[in-house]
Amino acid sequence: MTRSPLPRPLVPVLCAALLLTGCAQSAGPGSAATPAADASSSAPSPTPTPEEPAELIGGGTEVFPDRRMVALYGRPGTPALGALGEQGPEESAARAKELAAQYEPYSEVPVVPAFEIIATTASAGPGEDGDYSEELSVEELRPYVEAAAEQDVYVVLDLQPGRQDFLSQAQQYQELLELPNVGLALDPEWRLGPDQVHMVQIGSVDAAEINATTAWLAELTRENDLPQKVVVLHQFAESMITDRHLVDASRPELALVLHADGHGTPELKMGTWERLQQGLPEGIRMAWKNFYDEDTPTFTPQETSAIEPQPWFVSYQ
C-alpha cells in the first residue's frame, strides 16, 4: 500500500553427427583398396547432457517452506514511493541483502533477499491510455532485474492497475515473468472501477480476476519449466478482495502469500494481521509489511519475526 502522493533458452539443438564410412572396393589387379575410414570419424558422437531445470535462489523449485523472503519495496527512481527508489539497482541489491541478513538469526530456514518493484503505479490522472496507471517498460525495469539476478535477489513485480485489469497488465511483463526468479504482486487498493479515481475510495478486485491472472501465470510457469513463483496479494481491508474465499491457491506452480500492508501503531497493525487471517483460503501463507516513515514505531527484525504465524515474506517501504 502506498500512502504517498500519486504523481520483464532455447534448448540446445542436439545435432547428431552423420558418420560416413568408406567401403573398400577392389577395382581389379593392381588397384589399391580404398583406405579404411579414420578411427576417429567412426567413433560415436557423445550424447549431449540435458539442460538442468531452472532453480530458485538457494536451490530447489518450491518456494516455501524452505526459505523466507525479505524485500525492499518501491518504484525505481522515486524515493517517495518506497525504499527501493532511494538508490540505484546495485545499491538496492546490497541493501536488500543487508535487510535479509538481519532476519537470519530468527529463522529456521534461509532468508532470501528480494525486490518488490512497483512496475505500474497508480496515477492521479488518466494518462494517454485512460487507465489511471503509469507503466514502467520492460527496458526500464531490466537494470533492477539483472542486478537482482547477479546478486541472488528475488524479484516481485507489483501492479497498481487503475482501471486496467490485473491480467492484461501482467501480460505486458511476460518477458520478465519468464525468468526463474521473478514473481508477481497484485495490489487491489489501486484497482479502480470504470468511474472511480484514486484517493477517493479504496479500490478492490474480485476473486475471479485474481484467478484469471494466476491461471495465466501458472500456465506460463509450467510451459517454460520454471520453478514455483511467488504471488503476493496485498490487503489491509476486507473490501479490497471480494469473494476472497473463492481465490484459488491450489496451483502447484505458484506460492501465494497474503500481504498485510496496513501501517500505523503496533496495535493497529496487529489488529489488521489477526482480522485478515479469518477465512483465509487454504494454501495462502501470511506476509507482513514494515513502513520506515508511517509505522510508529517500525517493527525490528526480531519483533517482526516474533509475530504469529511468523511471516514468510516481509517487505520494507
Side-chain angles (χ1 to χ4, degrees):
M1 179 185 79
T2 303
R3 291 303 189 189
S4 306
L6 297 173
R8 183 150 9 178
L10 292 175
V11 175
V13 181
L14 308 180
C15 298
L18 184 61
L19 302 179
L20 302 178
T21 58
C23 296
Q25 297 180 350
S26 175
S31 298
T34 304
D38 183 81
S40 61
S41 66
S42 62
S45 60
T47 302
T49 302
E51 184 169 314
E52 293 295 327
E55 291 191 341
L56 293 162
I57 294 166
T61 58
E62 292 188 8
V63 180
F64 307 118
D66 293 332
R67 78 208 77 222
R68 299 183 190 276
M69 292 187 177
V70 174
L72 205 60
Y73 174 96
R75 176 185 169 99
T78 311
L81 295 183
L84 182 138
E86 295 177 354
Q87 59 280 302
E90 291 77 14
E91 296 82 3
S92 290
R95 186 173 176 181
K97 293 172 77 170
E98 290 174 1
L99 270 175
Q102 295 176 30
Y103 281 78
E104 286 285 358
Y106 312 109
S107 177
E108 73 284 1
V109 295
V111 181
V112 173
F115 289 164
E116 186 173 355
I117 306 175
I118 306 175
T120 68
T121 309
S123 60
E128 292 183 1
D129 54 9
D131 66 0
Y132 287 83
S133 180
E134 182 182 344
E135 300 91 353
L136 290 175
S137 69
V138 168
E139 292 309 311
E140 288 174 305
L141 293 170
R142 195 180 300 281
Y144 282 81
V145 174
E146 290 180 348
E150 292 171 359
Q151 297 294 321
D152 287 338
V153 174
Y154 196 86
V155 173
V156 176
L157 301 179
D158 185 89
L159 305 182
Q160 301 177 1
R163 294 184 183 178
Q164 194 175 4
D165 63 279
F166 280 116
L167 175 57
S168 60
Q169 273 208 340
Q171 289 172 334
Q172 296 178 41
Y173 300 103
Q174 177 172 334
E175 181 179 344
L176 298 179
L177 290 166
E178 287 175 348
L179 299 173
N181 284 284
V182 177
L184 189 66
L186 312 180
D187 197 342
E189 180 185 5
W190 310 111
R191 172 67 171 95
L192 299 175
D195 301 317
Q196 294 179 331
V197 294
H198 295 301
M199 303 303 288
V200 175
Q201 68 290 298
I202 297 172
S204 66
V205 67
D206 59 25
E209 185 171 321
I210 292 175
N211 291 340
T213 307
T214 56
W216 171 80
L217 184 61
E219 182 178 3
L220 184 73
T221 303
R222 184 171 57 253
E223 288 180 346
N224 288 276
D225 197 22
L226 298 170
Q228 202 176 45
K229 288 190 176 294
V230 174
V231 176
V232 179
L233 304 178
H234 285 267
Q235 189 176 21
F236 61 87
E238 287 85 344
S239 62
M240 289 170 58
I241 303 178
T242 59
D243 298 323
R244 195 185 69 170
H245 64 287
L246 297 178
V247 171
D248 186 358
S250 67
R251 296 183 175 90
E253 299 86 359
L254 308 177
L256 271 65
V257 295
L258 186 77
H259 198 275
D261 65 354
H263 60 76
T265 65
E267 293 76 19
L268 285 172
K269 290 174 73 75
M270 290 306 303
T272 299
W273 177 258
E274 297 295 337
R275 191 170 62 251
L276 291 178
Q277 292 180 65
Q278 299 175 16
L280 185 67
E282 184 177 354
I284 301 181
R285 299 172 185 266
M286 290 298 294
W288 179 269
K289 190 168 190 177
N290 283 322
F291 291 79
Y292 284 118
D293 298 328
E294 295 168 296
D295 284 343
T296 51
T298 304
F299 278 39
T300 67
Q302 184 175 7
E303 290 168 336
T304 304
S305 300
I307 295 168
E308 294 291 342
Q310 186 174 354
W312 291 94
F313 185 101
V314 177
S315 68
Y316 279 79
Q317 178 171 341

